[in-house]
Amino acid sequence: MEQEERPYKSDDGSMCAPLQVQAPDISKQQCQGQQQEHEQEQDHVSTIDPALLPVNWPRHVKYLVDYEYHPAIDPAVLDLVQGRRRKKSERQDQDQSTILQAEEERCEEESAYDEIPIGHAIPGPVRSLSTSSLTTSSTASLAPPPPYEIRLITSPPHHPVLGSFGLFATEALRPGRHLLDYISLVVPDAFADPESDHTLYLSNDLNLDASVHGNHGRFVNDFRGIRSHKEGPNVGWDLYRDAETGQIRMGCKVLKKIRRGKEILCTYGKAYWKSRGIAVKGSEWEDGWDTDLDDWSSEEEGIVGEFP
Ligand SMILES: C[S@@+](CC[C@H](N)C(=O)[O-])C[C@H]1O[C@@H](n2cnc3c(N)ncnc32)[C@H](O)[C@@H]1O
């Protein structure tokens, strides 16, 4: 897909990356069929103990605790996105013109890299478990549960992805909170799978593809058909550079208060829906969708559930 069809920056400059996903009219039967198919597939090779995988995690998807990088990524670009900056002497370009061209490209890439806001990576729920040397049962109890979970959507009847999965808050989520990172395989444009339902543009002509490698981020549905256009998404995708490692990551930030039990929803962007023949009203990003830090009160702490 062309770069311009993948607008990850909204009109007002805030980041809002569209996921490139399949057509929205999935019937329940189709989804169940897909699920059975997936279950028949062999488990995807994973370094994670199956007992530690999140509830409802699809067996065909490898749970990732950190990005995996496609081998075709240019080494200089890989250094940038992973936060390493090689010294000139370490670069092994062939001849003088290639060196000059590579140097120019590197400068451009580095200045783009420097413009990415700095953030702080948060460890995912499975990361802390998998990196522990303790036994499965004891490590599981040590890991703080994440404030979200993957749920099969069975209601309301008008939900557009009924029979499929979504990500739901298990506690009240405060606006501005960095909830999780979209972890996946990082793939150069030239190798991007146009059929993938779980891609998101990262930077430097690289895409995130969580179709068969990912984390909880791959379950965030689009808000359309679930929340009104005025309400908009309750989370947004924010590109940032980890202060500690320099790695470029895609964070998911809470825009509006999310009560316990409510679905976590982003916007896939107009281009996504357009490419599937669906017109979406309004702007790519509406003013009212910005983070509302005031949408919170101390009452939200503690009692945050709603009767179903
Ligand atoms: C990135 S995945 C989201 C998680 C997905 N529900 C799952 O179980 O893997 C994208 C898929 O969800 C569907 N989807 C997400 N939000 C939607 C919405 N608001 N309306 C229709 N389909 C949606 C897409 O059609 C696509 O199949």
Side-chain angles (χ1 to χ4, degrees):
M1 185 168 274
E2 297 299 313
Q3 177 93 10
E4 54 274 16
E5 288 184 335
R6 217 185 298 105
Y8 63 98
K9 207 163 198 175
S10 58
D11 293 342
D12 67 353
S14 58
M15 303 301 296
C16 182
L19 296 175
Q20 306 301 325
V21 292
Q22 72 188 48
D25 54 339
I26 304 180
S27 69
K28 194 168 182 175
Q29 290 92 325
Q30 269 177 311
C31 289
Q32 283 164 346
Q34 283 167 5
Q35 173 116 9
Q36 277 159 9
E37 256 175 51
H38 289 156
E39 280 168 6
Q40 281 157 14
E41 286 172 27
Q42 255 196 324
D43 284 2
H44 204 290
V45 183
S46 175
T47 49
I48 307 295
D49 181 334
L52 304 183
L53 288 173
V55 173
N56 287 326
W57 186 259
R59 288 170 55 191
H60 72 289
V61 182
K62 178 180 174 181
Y63 192 97
L64 293 187
V65 296
D66 202 355
Y67 294 99
E68 285 193 358
Y69 296 90
H70 191 283
I73 299 175
D74 179 275
V77 173
L78 187 62
D79 281 348
L80 272 181
V81 294
Q82 290 188 316
R84 289 191 306 264
R85 292 179 182 230
R86 290 191 294 175
K87 292 195 203 106
K88 209 169 182 176
S89 57
E90 289 171 339
R91 293 193 291 274
Q92 296 172 356
D93 299 311
Q94 308 293 308
D95 55 50
Q96 196 59 30
S97 64
T98 317
I99 290 171
L100 285 173
Q101 196 192 338
E103 193 65 19
E104 269 174 31
E105 283 170 10
R106 188 187 59 79
C107 286
E108 268 176 40
E109 277 157 3
E110 287 201 358
S111 69
Y113 171 92
D114 288 333
E115 284 166 17
I116 297 172
I118 305 250
H120 296 273
I122 42 166
V126 177
R127 173 193 293 268
S128 47
L129 296 170
S130 65
T131 51
S132 170
S133 58
L134 300 176
T135 64
T136 300
S137 52
S138 54
T139 54
S141 61
L142 289 179
Y148 45 77
E149 65 188 13
I150 303 159
R151 283 193 202 163
L152 179 67
I153 299 166
T154 55
S155 66
H158 56 80
H159 194 293
V161 284
L162 214 56
S164 178
F165 292 93
L167 200 65
F168 290 78
T170 52
E171 63 184 64
L173 302 174
R174 191 186 195 119
R177 178 169 179 174
H178 178 179
L179 195 56
L180 52 86
D181 288 340
Y182 192 95
I183 303 291
S184 72
L185 184 65
V186 181
V187 192
D189 267 351
F191 291 81
D193 175 6
E195 300 294 310
S196 173
D197 289 339
H198 298 81
T199 69
L200 180 61
Y201 183 69
L202 181 69
S203 73
N204 299 72
D205 297 331
L206 299 176
N207 303 279
L208 300 175
D209 187 348
S211 51
V212 287
H213 308 67
N215 71 346
H216 287 82
R218 72 189 296 284
F219 291 97
V220 179
N221 286 317
D222 186 290
F223 77 94
R224 293 173 175 87
I226 308 160
R227 283 164 66 91
S228 70
H229 183 82
K230 189 164 180 260
E231 289 172 312
N234 54 24
V235 296
W237 299 105
D238 269 328
L239 194 68
Y240 75 96
R241 188 152 56 87
D242 179 36
E244 200 181 317
T245 62
Q247 184 186 38
I248 295 179
R249 301 171 68 93
M250 184 62 78
C252 176
K253 189 171 79 177
V254 179
L255 301 168
K256 300 281 154 56
K257 169 180 69 196
I258 307 176
R259 290 184 185 275
R260 187 172 67 193
K262 292 290 178 189
E263 188 170 357
I264 295 166
L265 297 160
C266 67
T267 170
Y268 292 171
K270 295 180 82 157
Y272 156 68
W273 296 109
K274 192 177 167 199
S275 71
R276 282 145 180 90
I278 299 171
V280 162
K281 67 171 179 176
S283 308
E284 183 66 28
W285 190 265
E286 306 284 357
D287 287 343
W289 295 355
D290 290 340
T291 316
D292 184 0
L293 294 174
D294 296 333
D295 186 22
W296 189 261
S297 72
S298 53
E299 290 157 34
E300 312 293 346
E301 314 273 5
I303 41 153
V304 287
E306 284 183 347
F307 288 110

